[in-house]
Amino acid sequence: MPNYPPQPMIRYFLPLLLWVDSFHRVSGSIGDGRQMWQKPNPAPISLEQAFLHDTFPPGFLWGSGTSAFQTEGSWDQDGKGASIWDRFRQSQTAGDSYLRWEEDVQGLEFLGVNSYSFSLSWPRLFPDGNASGFPNELAVEHYDRLINRLVEKKIEPIVTVHHWDLPLVLQEVYGGWKNEKLIEFFEEYAAFCFRTFGDRVRYWYTMHNPYLVAVQGYGVGAHAPGETGGIAASLIVAHNLIKAHAKAWHTYDTQYRPTQKGRVSVVLGSHWVEPQNGQASATSVHLCQQSMEAVLGWFANPILGDGDYPASLKIKHGDLLPEFSTEEKLWVKNTSDFFALSFGLNNFRLGRNLPHFGQAVSPDLRRVLGWIKLEYGDLPVLVAEGGWFSEASVGREDTVAIYLMKRFINQVLQAIRLDGVQLLGYTAWSLLDGFEWNYDYSIRRGLFYVNFTHPNRTRTPKTSAQYFKQIIADNGFPQMEPSTEVRGRFPCDFHWGIADSTLQARFFPFSPQFTDPHVYSWNRTGDGSLRVIPGLKLHTNRSQCTDYLAIRSHLYLFASTGATHYRFALNWSLILPHGDLTHVNVEALRYYRCVLTELKKLDLEALVILYYPTHKAPNLGLPGALHASGGWLNYSTVEAFQEYAELCFRKLGSFVRHWITVNEPNRLTDVYSDGDKQQRAARNLLLAHAKAWRLHRQKYADQRGTMVSLALHADWAEPANPFLVESHSKAAERFLLLELGRFLDPLLRTGNEFLTVRSQQSSPVLTFTETEREELRGALSFIALNHFTTRLVAPLPMNLQQKQAGNHDCLILSDPTWPSSHLGQDLVPWGLRKILSWVTKRYGRALPVIVTASGVDDQALFQDNMRQHYLKSYLQEALKAHHLDGVNLRGFYMWKLQDDHLPQYGLFTSTQQQSKAKASISVYKQIISQWGFPEDSASHTCRSGEVQSACSVCVWVSDNKALTVFGCCLVITAVIFTALVFSMLTTRRKYIKGRRSGVSMLNRRR
């Protein structure tokens, strides 16, 4: 309770004062935070820049922090008393900062910070917890030395009065924070700290994250003192903590602020939630707001809001929730000079104890800062604890921590520059590895690695420390030199393509005259029905390619894009149901031949895939009999594929200039969990391709210079950690060799230069006989790559035994600041240029390179901005690879033509059996019309676009069949009607003329 209860006259004016005070808030009001979910999530800065390149304001406080119990050690030395944590879980020596504080300051100097947040140990200063007595002078001298050295080094000391290490005697005698008497004890202790150190300290935190003290310490028992009093105990403890903070603030405000000119706050912890499934309904928004009020609002509403608890807590807890009197509300509110926020590990690893009300927890610091501004006004905010954690086994190479730090700090920058939040500083938690509360030493949060087994507790900067140092030196993320666009055109034989998967054969023509031999009578019984005439049948005509409307409409749709090449796959199991030539589906072959014939009529080219694996059960796209006999683990499948390839070359080869034998064999092998099986499948896939290539060269080489290849999935691998260049570059190179070189080396490298790289787990490499090597060598007409994104690659930690398919014993990461699609695909245009250059450097420029699939999912029905950006940026990088890097690039195929159901990768959306073009088609068509990015807009001379332009009419006709038929009927009716009228008029004239002639002759006779 305050020492100065209001006088009776003032009591009448308190409600008015509370009401008037609400108008003095710069902006924001209790409950306004729900606007964060009612408006859409902030869009990326731009599609080119989801990551904000900018610097922080002058005077921004860059810092790091520690707490006494976690790092000081010396728990029983120099007169220190026991704390509740010493009883609950002894930290032992920890980082030994009590003795090695000078090394900590050196670490701060290494980072280049201008602030350091640390806590004072209450039981070290006052072993019995009672600050009305004499302090422990050795402790006072220690903190004096630390503060003086910080001031000397021009590092701002930010001091926490109490960070969870309550003197044990106060817990044992009074019951800890459940007892109101601790408010007075805390006020006396805080006053001593202000009085003793305040002449050199401008920023104070009274306490750190009281939510965790109340809930984890006294509610569920995960923290000291380990009590399990449930929500009732947590509510009482929280009430006392709020009043203890307020009392300390008032003490500073009245006794020390006039001379010391400092600022006092309390560190409040928070999480963040988003509506489940992204649906911001009124219910989900209400639940999200409740979740924030149940954690951050529990303490922030009384201290920074209206002086009282959120209404949602009152409704939920009823009489269990202590009440503030009218006087207390006025006394408690506005007892913080700035908003101090803790956002990190401890607020996200609470499991079931985190009140998220069924909503999705999300580590979005920018959104929390926006919510605070809406809810509590335009207050200055200091991120007093920001950061994540690494498993203890990670050690100094904490690559993941770098990208999480990058994300959090950039979110702070976005909040400043884009949302107008007043940010005072950012404290990276923590400076050192230490005792991590209920996690003991199983995780590490420090920027400096502490060797806990070494007697000197040696400190070594982690790679995250080096990254933080770089950010501080740059004061953020300065604008990089913009990537210069290249102007020019692609070669005249460039494939402007669209890629699809297996083309489904629809055998039925549009009219039954091709399949039904019966003759019918109509309306014999007056009911308008058709009845078969028994015994009478006609010979049916064989359907023509033009009679398959599915083919025509599909290809007209494709032609309208302006593309020149269409990539699709044949269905092996449909053409050869038994896997061999004992049964050939002639109709399937004829259907595919019709597709190719119609493409030729439109002056368009096809790139045809013989085998398109499904990568899933039951048959992986193989004929059932082949899969049952072992599939690609059995050499008989190699022979069967050769027969199938020969059939396709013979029947369809005259219409196809570019063949792909197998699509993405490097992804197909991932379905086999065993390493030996993966290598056996890869070996057989390579041999199957080589035999098909040799067969085509021997028997069909005269077919207009036809080319045969296989297509590999080819995402770029970027070294993940910029401070571990050597080891991470080696990991990325090994990844590319196992991903691409495993298949391309046997085909394109000569002599003894076959791939010899081995993974960490010593998986066997591909081995071939000398005869097989000769068959493989050179069996490739062009290099076909399917490229979509870039992956960050790091060496797989030795302790991480669990591997994922396709990772090649590497740790695969993603930069959370990269633009990303709904399905999680990162947009990294420069990765395409790098993979093309890598392939060219390794295999030379002799063979053409074709990007046979590339694309991104976009949820927009029509205005697919992400895909438009993808097209322009990726093709720009492709042009750079061709013009600047000398890559023999000869094609780019966009994946894919049409959505199946929901909007994803398609250039056309398909709704209600109608196909509608998305905006990205116009972008692609314009690039094609100019054959790239020329200096001027003059039309290219490589290929006429008349056919493609005309086809837009065809597409309209195909998509509006009913209207077309109706229009034709009207036209025919009008023509017939006009003809009848003309005929009648002509007949009538002749009749009148004849009659007149007859009358004239009769008159002459008379």
Side-chain angles (χ1 to χ4, degrees):
M1 289 290 293
N3 291 330
Y4 37 90
Q7 297 300 316
M9 184 62 69
I10 298 177
R11 188 185 306 273
Y12 292 109
F13 291 97
L14 284 176
L16 179 62
L17 289 171
L18 288 168
W19 179 74
V20 170
D21 183 73
S22 65
F23 285 91
H24 289 277
R25 299 165 64 85
V26 177
S27 63
S29 179
I30 299 300
D32 283 358
R34 66 184 69 244
Q35 295 176 27
M36 289 302 297
W37 301 284
Q38 291 169 342
K39 60 185 180 182
N41 282 355
I45 316 311
S46 68
L47 282 168
E48 295 82 359
Q49 186 183 328
F51 180 82
L52 179 60
H53 286 279
D54 205 338
T55 55
F56 284 82
F60 190 80
L61 291 174
W62 291 107
S64 188
T66 59
S67 76
F69 187 79
Q70 290 181 281
T71 59
E72 280 188 354
S74 302
W75 70 278
D76 59 351
Q77 297 180 28
D78 286 352
K80 178 185 176 296
S83 75
I84 56 174
W85 275 96
D86 288 314
R87 170 73 59 86
F88 188 67
R89 268 181 198 160
Q90 199 173 86
S91 72
Q92 298 175 348
T93 308
D96 206 14
S97 287
Y98 180 72
L99 299 178
R100 306 184 186 284
W101 61 271
E102 291 178 291
E103 295 176 39
D104 295 348
V105 176
Q106 290 172 5
L108 295 170
E109 290 184 280
F110 171 85
L111 294 173
V113 298
N114 56 11
S115 69
Y116 177 46
S117 174
F118 66 94
S119 72
L120 305 173
S121 173
W122 191 348
R124 190 179 294 282
L125 286 164
F126 295 96
D128 62 355
N130 189 348
S132 63
F134 292 103
N136 178 354
E137 288 299 333
L138 292 176
V140 173
E141 291 174 6
H142 165 72
Y143 291 120
D144 266 333
R145 286 193 298 269
L146 175 59
I147 293 172
N148 289 338
R149 182 66 60 84
L150 292 172
V151 172
E152 177 189 328
K153 299 294 183 180
K154 294 183 170 50
I155 299 173
E156 190 81 52
I158 302 177
V159 180
T160 303
V161 175
H162 174 51
H163 194 132
W164 302 359
D165 52 346
L166 183 71
L168 181 61
V169 65
L170 297 182
Q171 179 66 35
E172 292 178 334
V173 175
Y174 299 99
W177 284 108
K178 292 181 296 183
N179 195 323
E180 278 192 337
K181 288 186 177 181
L182 260 73
I183 299 173
E184 298 296 334
F185 281 112
F186 182 74
E187 189 275 336
E188 290 175 349
Y189 166 56
F192 168 81
C193 296
F194 298 149
R195 182 171 60 253
T196 305
F197 307 113
D199 59 329
R200 291 152 291 167
V201 177
R202 294 194 304 159
Y203 292 92
W204 290 95
Y205 302 138
T206 56
M207 56 186 67
H208 187 93
N209 209 341
Y211 173 87
L212 293 178
V213 176
V215 174
Q216 299 290 83
Y218 291 86
V220 299
H223 283 189
E227 296 190 3
T228 55
I231 189 62
S234 295
L235 293 171
I236 292 171
V237 168
H239 198 68
N240 290 334
L241 287 166
I242 291 170
K243 291 199 288 186
H245 156 76
K247 194 169 183 65
W249 184 90
H250 280 293
T251 296
Y252 186 87
D253 191 53
T254 57
Q255 298 181 33
Y256 301 103
R257 190 190 304 276
T259 57
Q260 295 180 0
K261 310 297 183 184
R263 306 167 85 175
V264 180
S265 184
V266 54
V267 178
L268 301 181
S270 184
H271 63 311
W272 180 249
V273 288
E274 293 287 354
Q276 196 67 265
N277 301 321
Q279 302 298 319
S281 64
T283 301
S284 64
V285 168
H286 177 68
L287 292 172
C288 287
Q289 178 73 6
Q290 274 192 294
S291 178
M292 294 299 292
E293 290 173 350
V295 180
L296 185 55
W298 186 358
F299 296 86
N301 268 41
I303 295 171
L304 294 137
D306 57 8
D308 201 359
Y309 294 116
S312 59
L313 262 67
K314 294 181 179 180
I315 295 170
K316 181 177 181 180
H317 300 303
D319 293 339
L320 288 177
L321 184 68
E323 294 184 3
F324 290 111
S325 67
T326 305
E327 295 90 342
E328 286 175 330
K329 291 177 185 177
L330 187 61
W331 176 72
V332 166
K333 71 177 297 185
N334 294 334
T335 55
S336 185
D337 301 321
F338 57 95
F339 200 115
L341 175 67
S342 166
F343 188 81
L345 164 71
N346 289 317
N347 294 101
F348 283 89
R349 293 193 73 177
L350 299 181
R352 291 176 299 174
N353 297 319
L354 183 67
H356 52 79
F357 300 108
Q359 305 308 298
V361 178
S362 170
D364 195 328
L365 181 50
R366 177 184 176 186
R367 299 272 280 168
V368 176
L369 293 169
W371 187 87
I372 289 170
K373 181 179 179 181
L374 287 170
E375 194 79 4
Y376 302 112
D378 195 13
L379 297 169
V381 181
L382 200 160
V383 179
E385 178 187 3
W388 208 245
F389 71 97
S390 299
E391 298 298 333
S393 57
V394 169
R396 296 182 292 274
E397 299 181 3
D398 55 342
T399 303
V400 175
I402 287 178
Y403 291 97
L404 291 171
M405 176 184 288
K406 180 181 180 182
R407 176 179 181 177
F408 285 148
I409 296 178
N410 199 255
Q411 287 176 345
V412 171
L413 182 61
Q414 292 177 36
I416 295 172
R417 297 303 187 192
L418 305 179
D419 306 330
V421 179
Q422 294 185 58
L423 261 297
L424 297 174
Y426 181 89
T427 303
W429 201 272
S430 65
L431 178 66
L432 308 174
D433 290 334
F435 174 78
E436 290 300 335
W437 311 111
N438 49 314
Y439 303 109
D440 290 324
Y441 294 95
S442 64
I443 62 173
R444 292 175 178 263
R445 299 189 66 192
L447 294 170
F448 284 80
Y449 177 87
V450 176
N451 185 346
F452 295 117
T453 62
H454 195 282
N456 293 333
R457 296 297 191 268
T458 54
R459 291 136 163 79
T460 308
K462 300 179 185 178
T463 53
S464 58
Q466 297 178 61
Y467 183 64
F468 192 44
K469 177 181 182 179
Q470 177 183 308
I471 293 175
I472 295 170
D474 294 337
N475 195 33
F477 310 94
Q479 184 65 50
M480 300 173 65
E481 286 294 325
S483 177
T484 305
E485 286 195 353
V486 171
R487 292 294 168 182
R489 290 190 169 97
F490 289 94
C492 278
D493 59 350
F494 195 81
H495 294 202
W496 294 104
I498 294 176
D500 270 338
S501 56
T502 302
L503 189 64
Q504 299 302 319
R506 299 172 184 174
F507 296 134
F508 301 103
F510 74 91
S511 173
Q513 67 173 307
F514 303 111
T515 57
D516 189 355
H518 296 100
V519 179
Y520 295 84
S521 63
W522 177 70
N523 204 28
R524 288 183 62 185
T525 56
D527 60 357
S529 62
L530 288 171
R531 296 182 184 276
V532 176
I533 300 175
L536 186 59
K537 290 187 177 181
L538 298 176
H539 175 71
T540 58
N541 294 323
R542 188 178 184 184
S543 57
Q544 303 299 311
C545 289
T546 53
D547 297 321
Y548 292 100
L549 287 184
I551 294 177
R552 296 172 66 189
S553 62
H554 189 76
L555 295 184
Y556 287 157
L557 200 68
F558 166 74
S560 69
T561 65
T564 60
H565 288 70
Y566 183 39
R567 194 210 80 169
F568 66 90
L570 308 177
N571 190 333
W572 184 0
S573 59
L574 179 67
I575 294 173
L576 297 179
H578 299 161
D580 56 28
L581 299 180
T582 58
H583 176 55
V584 178
N585 189 336
V586 178
E587 283 302 312
L589 279 172
R590 184 169 180 274
Y591 185 87
Y592 288 127
R593 187 181 181 92
C594 285
V595 172
L596 295 168
T597 301
E598 292 300 308
L599 271 173
K600 280 299 176 190
K601 290 180 180 178
L602 295 170
D603 195 24
L604 300 171
E605 294 283 345
L607 185 152
V608 178
I609 300 171
L610 292 174
Y611 172 49
Y612 194 94
T614 58
H615 300 197
K616 59 184 179 181
N619 297 330
L620 306 179
L622 288 168
L626 294 179
H627 187 266
S629 64
W632 290 107
L633 300 179
N634 192 330
Y635 185 79
S636 63
T637 303
V638 176
E639 297 169 332
F641 182 77
Q642 188 176 11
E643 286 185 343
Y644 165 62
E646 197 280 332
L647 175 68
C648 295
F649 293 154
R650 174 161 39 89
K651 296 293 185 180
L652 307 175
S654 59
F655 298 93
V656 181
R657 295 182 62 185
H658 293 84
W659 291 94
I660 296 291
T661 54
V662 183
N663 186 66
E664 297 190 353
N666 52 344
R667 287 285 71 79
L668 175 58
T669 57
D670 293 342
V671 303
Y672 301 99
S673 57
D674 180 77
D676 290 334
K677 289 181 178 179
Q678 288 181 359
Q679 301 296 0
R680 203 186 331 162
R683 182 179 185 278
N684 287 335
L685 283 162
L686 266 173
L687 291 173
H689 159 76
K691 287 183 180 297
W693 189 90
R694 296 286 174 193
L695 183 147
H696 186 277
R697 186 180 185 187
Q698 292 166 8
K699 299 183 66 174
Y700 304 101
D702 58 342
Q703 290 182 348
R704 302 186 307 150
T706 308
M707 306 174 78
V708 181
S709 184
L710 54 75
L712 296 172
H713 190 96
D715 290 336
W716 173 245
E718 182 74 5
N721 196 318
F723 304 101
L724 300 169
V725 176
E726 183 177 357
S727 61
H728 284 237
S729 295
K730 286 181 178 178
E733 183 71 9
R734 187 180 70 249
F735 179 91
L736 291 171
L737 288 173
L738 288 168
E739 184 78 345
L740 301 178
R742 181 169 46 140
F743 290 89
L744 292 178
D745 273 23
L747 299 170
L748 299 178
R749 306 276 280 192
T750 59
N752 296 319
E753 295 180 357
F754 286 102
L755 176 67
T756 57
V757 64
R758 291 179 180 268
S759 68
Q760 284 179 264
Q761 305 301 321
S762 298
S763 299
V765 295
L766 300 181
T767 57
F768 303 95
T769 66
E770 189 57 40
T771 302
E772 290 170 339
R773 288 189 179 190
E774 285 301 318
E775 190 171 34
L776 288 165
R777 190 173 294 126
L780 207 66
S781 308
F782 62 97
I783 298 174
L785 306 174
N786 298 341
H787 174 84
F788 292 85
T789 190
T790 291
R791 305 180 187 280
L792 296 173
V793 176
L796 188 71
M798 296 302 295
N799 64 300
L800 189 61
Q801 296 299 321
Q802 185 177 2
K803 298 188 292 181
Q804 293 182 352
N807 287 1
H808 306 302
D809 298 329
C810 294
L811 184 65
I812 307 300
L813 307 172
S814 176
D815 187 334
T817 63
W818 283 343
S820 181
S821 71
H822 179 76
L823 295 180
Q825 178 184 326
D826 294 323
L827 275 69
V828 192
W830 48 261
L832 174 59
R833 180 181 177 185
K834 287 196 172 186
I835 192 68
L836 292 173
S837 298
W838 184 89
V839 168
T840 298
K841 181 179 179 181
R842 185 166 182 84
Y843 302 109
R845 296 180 175 84
L847 292 182
V849 179
I850 298 176
V851 178
T852 46
S854 187
V856 67
D857 64 287
D858 193 320
Q859 302 302 298
L861 277 173
F862 302 110
Q863 196 61 39
D864 51 347
N865 294 324
M866 181 169 285
R867 185 175 294 106
Q868 294 178 58
H869 166 66
Y870 185 99
L871 267 167
K872 289 185 285 189
S873 59
Y874 273 61
L875 278 168
Q876 176 62 215
E877 293 299 318
L879 188 65
K880 290 178 184 177
H882 180 264
H883 276 29
L884 304 181
D885 306 333
V887 177
N888 187 10
L889 187 63
R890 286 296 186 270
F892 182 92
Y893 286 72
M894 193 68 185
W895 173 267
K896 63 179 188 169
L897 182 62
Q898 192 169 12
D899 290 323
D900 294 324
H901 301 290
L902 298 175
Q904 280 192 359
Y905 287 91
L907 294 168
F908 287 86
T909 187
S910 181
T911 56
Q912 300 178 343
Q913 298 182 340
Q914 294 289 317
S915 299
K916 295 188 181 297
K918 299 179 184 178
S920 55
I921 287 182
S922 297
V923 173
Y924 197 27
K925 185 181 287 188
Q926 181 181 8
I927 295 173
I928 294 172
S929 69
Q930 297 177 350
W931 224 255
F933 304 89
E935 290 284 354
D936 52 51
S937 58
S939 299
H940 66 91
T941 57
C942 290
R943 177 185 174 94
S944 172
E946 294 177 2
V947 175
Q948 284 72 21
S949 299
C951 282
S952 59
V953 178
C954 304
V955 172
W956 187 92
V957 171
S958 178
D959 287 343
N960 298 274
K961 301 182 188 72
L963 187 61
T964 303
V965 171
F966 179 70
C968 290
C969 290
L970 286 178
V971 172
I972 292 170
T973 302
V975 170
I976 293 174
F977 179 75
T978 303
L980 285 173
V981 171
F982 180 77
S983 177
M984 290 176 63
L985 289 173
T986 303
T987 303
R988 181 175 177 81
R989 286 176 182 172
K990 288 181 179 179
Y991 171 75
I992 294 173
K993 184 177 180 181
R995 187 174 179 182
R996 288 176 178 173
S997 177
V999 170
S1000 176
M1001 290 177 66
L1002 183 60
N1003 289 336
R1004 288 175 184 172
R1005 289 175 183 175
R1006 289 178 179 174

